[in-house]
Amino acid sequence: MSEDRTAAPPAESRPDLRADCSNCFGLCCVALPFAASADFAVGKEAGKPCKNLQADFRCGIHTRLRQEGFQGCTVYDCFGAGQQVSQVTFGGRDWRQAPETSRQMFEVFPVVRQLHELLWYLTEALTLPAARPVHADLRGALDDTERLTRQSADDLAGLDVAAHRGRVNELLLRTSELHRATAGRKAKDHRGADLIGARLRKADLRGANLRGAYLIAADLTGADLRGADLIGADFRDARIGGADLTGSIFLTQAQLNAAKGDAATRLPAALTRPAHWS
């Protein structure tokens, strides 16, 4: 029997797309900048280690991040890019022992992070039966993206990742259209909408397009989001207690971590209920 090249494992079965801090050189704690705000107790420049980063590249306050004012760290996800850059791209040479690698390592990390995020979305897209008409193209994009992650540091630093994202996004848009059509209804289009603080309690958002929507502090209590496209939606402080997110697509753990849910919130199988939810 020939191999089915349209099939793909579900995203939750790919540990390489989940952060493994034990095999990373604390890259998100060094390479990325952040400003003092409600999300970060203090600010720091890109390339400067966070004051909480320990000698073993672990966070010294990992279990107390929210209490210590570093909520922003709890809603960040590298999709496994940290261990990829640390162990594969740079072959296990860390920026402390080989300081000459630091500049390029910190430059490459955000690029690989974007590629790994695309791998997460493409892997999920390949599990959707409604997207079968574009499965072959999705598989090709997945293979191309994985190939890019294995390039040298020099090649990654020079990669036009925005152009690649644009090509992949066209396929993800088509996937979204096919999947949302299964809702069997004319769904609402809220792509990129400003829904900050919106009152959407028990709203019927089945099959809705919420790509890139601003849902900051929105009240989605008890809302029906089955089959909705949630790629890039900003869920910071959104109230989703009792909401049904099963069947929604392109939702990430970081988005859930930024929201306020509860035990009654229904989630896609690939994601877990955040520990800080009541």
Side-chain angles (χ1 to χ4, degrees):
M1 181 179 294
S2 61
E3 180 185 6
D4 180 2
R5 294 292 288 164
T6 65
E12 65 266 29
S13 70
R14 292 199 54 170
D16 59 316
L17 300 183
R18 293 187 182 276
D20 177 5
C21 298
S22 65
N23 281 304
C24 176
F25 300 144
L27 296 184
C28 65
C29 306
V30 187
L32 307 179
F34 51 77
S37 63
D39 291 325
F40 296 100
V42 296
K44 81 167 195 68
E45 301 174 356
K48 180 180 179 180
C50 173
K51 67 175 186 177
N52 298 307
L53 186 66
Q54 301 180 128
D56 61 357
F57 301 112
R58 299 297 189 96
C59 174
I61 60 168
H62 180 71
T63 60
R64 310 189 312 278
L65 284 167
R66 287 180 174 270
Q67 298 92 314
E68 297 286 344
F70 288 86
Q71 178 175 319
C73 297
T74 69
V75 299
Y76 178 79
D77 189 353
C78 76
F79 295 96
Q83 65 259 28
Q84 176 72 18
V85 172
S86 299
Q87 304 301 328
V88 179
T89 310
F90 285 88
R93 293 177 301 149
D94 71 69
W95 50 270
R96 282 178 174 148
Q97 294 181 336
E100 70 278 5
T101 67
S102 63
R103 181 192 61 78
Q104 191 173 53
M105 188 180 296
F106 301 157
E107 180 182 4
V108 163
F109 172 61
V111 174
V112 177
R113 191 268 180 196
Q114 291 188 64
L115 294 175
H116 271 232
E117 182 180 12
L118 293 177
L119 289 175
W120 178 275
Y121 294 141
L122 288 165
T123 300
E124 180 180 353
L126 279 162
T127 68
L128 303 175
R132 188 165 294 277
V134 291
H135 272 190
D137 291 334
L138 287 166
R139 170 59 70 180
L142 183 74
D143 291 344
D144 287 344
T145 305
E146 289 184 326
R147 177 183 55 79
L148 291 175
T149 68
R150 296 191 292 268
Q151 290 188 126
S152 68
D154 286 340
D155 288 337
L156 284 165
L159 177 66
D160 187 348
V161 70
H164 183 69
R165 284 187 71 99
R167 291 189 291 271
V168 171
N169 190 52
E170 291 181 7
L171 288 172
L172 297 179
L173 280 169
R174 181 59 180 147
T175 297
S176 174
E177 293 168 354
L178 291 166
H179 179 76
R180 289 185 296 106
T182 62
R185 59 198 295 272
K186 184 175 177 57
K188 296 179 180 179
D189 188 351
H190 293 300
R191 183 178 182 182
D194 182 352
L195 296 171
I196 297 175
R199 298 177 180 177
L200 297 167
R201 179 181 288 264
K202 296 185 178 180
D204 185 354
L205 295 168
R206 287 174 295 161
N209 184 355
L210 287 160
R211 295 172 66 91
Y214 295 93
L215 292 161
I216 302 169
D219 185 1
L220 289 155
T221 305
D224 190 343
L225 291 153
R226 288 176 293 172
D229 182 349
L230 302 175
I231 194 169
D234 192 335
F235 277 95
R236 282 178 293 171
D237 293 326
R239 297 189 293 282
I240 58 173
D244 191 347
L245 295 128
T246 57
S248 62
I249 57 172
F250 305 139
L251 179 66
T252 67
Q253 190 65 49
Q255 287 170 291
L256 282 183
N257 292 347
K260 296 179 177 179
D262 59 22
T265 306
R266 301 180 64 186
L267 306 177
L271 304 177
T272 60
R273 197 173 310 278
H276 66 275
W277 284 8
S278 58

